């Protein structure tokens, strides 16, 4: 400790001038951003820039959702140990939802189409565990919750990433500040439009130049979404398909996102991988969800949870859970309609494969074979 004399008047003036100069620099930083470990500077900078209140709830221990649920079999204590450590590092509060063994679910509890047969028990178990999480959200009337699978990994800058995501999701779904509540307008002209009148253009919105939108009341991510598909193994920019609902086509493009890995490290089950083919290195895109695969992490609003329970728990369980989630988002089998689902490429939650026998990777799929010498996140 250094003990000090009280500052003199001139010292105070010099200090005040220096502070003003620093603040000027601070608020004029060109690339608002991602230079911290999930800290506040970028948020403060934006606050200074736009005059809108900061969305600080996203930095709270449940990432701006009401709860975080992690799904996993209680017997996989290795994964619980891991995820509890990860959550502690990121200062996140999580609750567990027990995974379900499919063979304990009786036929009578599984809605099934006329000519369908029961899908495999591993998929039934996964479906049931996810449905239990969604049921919990509806039952407890939670305003929103994030549901994670127990083998996921994330960036230590997760909170900053989700903060940025929220700016994009609000731009895509909140009415423009310049419009009236009786006739809301959106920066994405394809959002909230009757499908027939939807323009075919692809509205591209730059992350560095987001429009001013009406502040949401319920969720810092916006008040007009059902599901945020935040962790996946691939997703596609919406495109029109015959006999399918049209999805809104707006996309927010975040260039120079320092948390996006180099292209060589990006991976997607969906081909073509448009993000990598058409955009520069370190670009993240936020858009409506088509052809999502893998249910690593997704958030649902209360409204979304109710619809999801109706569409996926009470209608034909014909496919693996992630494919059912796809039907929920874009419409499909059993007369399902599209819902409001947003996503990011690349996503924010990835699979983590720990060192050990490769068969340990999944209780659903078959990963038999060798031994993984080096842990990896893919
Ligand atoms: C985090 O913020 C959300 C959104 O405002 C809120 O619902 C939730 O209760 C907050 N979490 C905590 C632990 O305060
Ligand atoms: C699933 O489990 C049930 C109940 O144990 C069993 O009768 C059925 O044969 C199993 N299905 C498959 C495809 O293994
Ligand atoms: C559920 O939450 C909403 C919004 O906070 C509230 O208006 C409603 O009364 C709640 N319903 C129940 C059954 O608590």
């Amino acid at each position: 400790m250094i003990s000090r004399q009280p500052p003199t008047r001139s010292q105070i003036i010099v200090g005040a001038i220096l502070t003003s100069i620093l603040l000027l620099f601070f608020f004029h930083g060109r690339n608002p951003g991602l230079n911290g470990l999930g800290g506040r500077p970028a948020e403060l900078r934006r606050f200074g820039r736009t005059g809108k209140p900061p969305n600080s709830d996203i930095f709270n221990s449940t990432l701006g959702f009401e709860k975080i649920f992690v799904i996993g079999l209680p017997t996989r204590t290795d994964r619980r140990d891991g995820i509890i450590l990860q959550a502690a590092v990121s200062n996140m509060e999580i609750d567990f939802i027990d995974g379900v063994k499919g063979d304990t679910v009786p036929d009578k509890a599984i809605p099934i189409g006329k000519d369908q047969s029961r899908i495999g028990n591993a998929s039934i178990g996964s479906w049931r565990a996810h449905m239990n999480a969604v049921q919990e959200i509806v039952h407890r009337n939670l305003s929103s919750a994030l549901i994670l699978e127990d083998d996921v990994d994330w960036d230590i800058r997760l909170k900053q990433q989700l903060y940025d995501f929220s700016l994009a999701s609000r731009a895509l779904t909140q009415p423009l500040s310049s419009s009236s509540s009786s006739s809301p307008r959106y920066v994405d002209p394809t959002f909230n439009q009757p499908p027939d009148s939807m323009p075919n253009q692809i509205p591209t919105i730059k992350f560095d130049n987001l429009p001013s939108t009406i502040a949401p009341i319920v969720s810092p991510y916006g008040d007009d979404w059902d599901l945020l598909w935040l962790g996946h193994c691939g997703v596609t920019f919406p495109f029109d398909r015959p006999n399918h609902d049209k999805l809104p086509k707006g996309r927010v493009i975040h260039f120079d996102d320092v948390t996006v890995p180099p292209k060589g490290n990006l991976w997607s089950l969906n081909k073509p991988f448009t993000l990598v083919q058409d955009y520069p290195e370190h670009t993240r895109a936020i858009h409506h969800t088509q052809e999502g695969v893998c249910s690593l992490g997704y958030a649902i609003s209360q409204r979304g949870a109710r619809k999801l329970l109706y569409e996926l728990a009470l209608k034909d369980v014909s496919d693996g859970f992630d494919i059912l989630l796809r039907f929920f988002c874009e419409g499909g089998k059993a007369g399902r309609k599209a819902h409001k689902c947003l996503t990011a490429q690349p996503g924010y939650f990835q699979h983590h494969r720990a060192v050990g026998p490769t068969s340990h990777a999944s209780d659903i799929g078959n990963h038999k074979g060798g031994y993984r010498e080096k842990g990896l996140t893919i």
Side-chain angles (χ1 to χ4, degrees):
M1 287 286 282
I2 301 168
S3 66
R4 293 206 173 166
Q5 301 290 325
T8 64
R9 208 182 132 84
S10 60
Q11 278 171 332
I12 290 175
I13 293 172
V14 169
I17 292 171
L18 274 177
T19 310
S20 319
I21 292 173
L22 280 174
L23 281 174
L24 267 176
F25 266 105
F26 196 59
F27 287 141
H28 282 82
R30 234 190 57 74
N31 189 8
L34 289 151
N35 50 356
L37 298 181
R40 301 291 177 88
E43 180 195 357
L44 289 174
R45 216 175 303 174
R46 283 196 193 95
F47 183 39
R49 212 170 47 144
T50 62
K52 280 184 288 189
N55 224 344
S56 53
D57 282 1
I58 290 172
F59 295 86
N60 78 14
S61 61
T62 49
L63 306 173
F65 304 106
E66 198 162 337
K67 288 276 172 202
I68 301 175
F69 292 124
V70 177
I71 296 181
L73 289 168
T75 47
R76 288 304 299 265
T77 48
D78 56 328
R79 293 198 177 167
R80 291 210 169 175
D81 294 341
I83 207 108
I84 282 180
L85 267 178
Q86 286 171 239
V89 169
S90 293
N91 195 16
M92 278 156 58
E93 211 178 304
I94 56 171
D95 290 313
F96 287 106
I97 297 279
D98 285 349
V100 174
K101 288 270 191 199
D103 57 9
T104 64
V105 182
D107 282 346
K108 287 180 182 171
I110 306 169
I112 208 150
K114 193 150 178 255
D115 298 314
Q116 297 279 337
S117 50
R118 181 183 167 121
I119 59 170
N121 280 329
S123 299
I124 288 290
S126 149
W127 163 77
R128 193 57 246 166
H130 280 277
M131 286 306 105
N132 287 351
V134 176
Q135 187 200 71
E136 186 79 3
I137 294 165
V138 175
H139 192 197
R140 288 163 65 181
N141 200 20
L142 302 177
S143 56
S144 68
L146 174 65
I147 298 174
L148 299 176
E149 294 183 346
D150 66 352
D151 56 350
V152 298
D153 193 9
W154 57 81
D155 192 311
I156 49 172
R157 296 162 292 189
L158 178 65
K159 290 178 182 177
Q160 182 66 54
Q161 290 179 322
L162 290 181
Y163 180 81
D164 288 347
F165 175 84
S166 80
L167 296 179
S169 64
R170 293 203 277 173
L172 290 172
T173 60
Q174 288 291 116
L176 291 165
S177 308
S178 56
S179 67
S180 71
S181 55
S182 56
S183 59
R185 283 181 301 106
Y186 300 87
V187 71
D188 171 9
T190 65
F191 184 69
N192 268 354
Q193 287 299 314
D196 301 340
S197 67
M198 258 194 209
N200 270 328
Q201 79 211 73
I202 297 175
T204 296
I205 303 132
K206 283 193 179 154
F207 182 80
D208 274 343
N209 189 23
L210 295 175
S212 169
T213 50
I214 291 173
I217 296 163
V218 181
S219 165
Y221 295 90
D223 288 340
D224 197 6
W225 54 271
D226 296 310
L227 186 142
L228 310 175
W229 202 325
L230 300 171
H232 52 74
C233 310
V235 71
T236 305
F237 288 108
F239 58 95
D240 290 341
R241 280 183 303 178
N243 307 319
H244 276 77
D245 288 339
K246 278 189 175 182
L247 299 178
K249 299 216 178 55
R251 38 178 100 157
V252 171
I253 301 297
H254 189 167
F255 294 112
D256 300 318
D257 180 338
V258 298
T259 70
V260 172
K263 286 187 180 181
N265 295 347
L266 295 179
W267 172 87
S268 173
L269 276 180
N270 299 23
K271 298 288 177 299
F273 193 178
T274 311
L275 180 81
V276 159
Q277 281 184 7
D278 292 0
Y279 289 96
E281 293 272 2
H282 307 296
T283 302
R284 194 184 307 270
I286 291 97
H287 56 92
H288 293 264
T289 309
Q290 194 152 336
E291 297 190 329
V293 52
C294 296
S295 44
L296 298 177
Y298 57 97
I300 38 183
S301 59
Q302 175 60 216
R303 175 185 95 180
R306 291 177 187 197
K307 293 180 187 171
L308 210 145
L309 206 56
Y310 177 67
E311 296 289 352
L312 303 192
L314 299 180
K315 290 184 182 174
D316 189 2
V317 182
S318 57
D319 296 81
F321 176 70
D322 55 342
I323 302 304
L324 294 176
L325 214 50
R326 178 188 287 194
F327 296 155
F328 176 76
C329 285
E330 62 192 68
K333 280 192 187 168
R336 296 179 179 103
K337 295 265 172 253
H339 290 87
K340 289 175 184 168
C341 301
L342 295 164
T343 189
Q345 300 186 62
Y348 306 103
F349 300 95
Q350 283 81 27
H351 273 126
H352 181 72
R353 302 290 185 221
V355 171
T358 46
S359 61
H360 290 190
S362 177
D363 295 297
I364 299 179
N366 188 349
H367 292 245
K368 287 203 174 63
Y371 189 91
R372 184 174 287 107
E373 308 273 351
K374 198 163 178 283
L376 86 161
T377 289
I378 46 172

